[in-house]
Structures are given as C-alpha cells and as structure tokens.
Amino acid sequence: ELILRGARRVLVRSHPMVIFEVNPEAASRLGLRADGAWNLLRGCGYDFWGLDNLGYLQHRAAPPRFGNVIAIHRNV
C-alpha cells in the first residue's frame, strides 16, 4: 500500500497492471489495513483478479484473506 500511495499519479495516468499480496499480519505491523492496497487501487479504477487452481483468471469481488491479487485497470 505504501508503494502504491507513492505511485498514485502513475496508476491514474498510465494504468499499469499491478500484482500485490494481501497479508494482514504484515500490514498490521506497519499500522496499515489488510485491504488498504485493494481500496486504493479500486479508487483508481482497478478491477481485481486471482488465479484459480488451474491457473485461470478469476474475478474477485472482495480481497482474499491472504494471497496474491492481480489488479487491472477498467480502461485497459
């Protein structure tokens, strides 16, 4: 989340794909919310995806409890 805050202008302007990890324990140690990166990216126009057991993209409506997430801007 901290890196994404610093990259907010790039996220809004260039819409790069972002792969990030949801890790509540690590976020808590930094004083952050587990869904902080998710919420920041959603506010910048991103949708979220994860990989299913066969490696196919699966849309995510809510952040997982733990794991990797692929964020793709809606205008890509």
Side-chain angles (χ1 to χ4, degrees), residues 28-68:
S28 177
R29 279 184 268 156
L30 295 170
L32 303 171
R33 293 174 42 119
D35 61 355
W38 179 285
N39 290 332
L40 186 148
L41 288 164
R42 183 178 55 194
C44 291
Y46 282 79
D47 287 326
F48 303 95
W49 306 83
L51 296 177
D52 67 14
N53 292 338
L54 298 174
Y56 292 103
L57 282 178
Q58 180 178 33
H59 185 261
R60 291 193 175 273
R65 290 183 181 197
F66 184 88
N68 293 322

Side-chain angles (χ1 to χ4, degrees), residues 11-12 42-43 45 50 74:
L11 295 170
V12 171
R42 183 178 55 194
R74 290 182 203 112

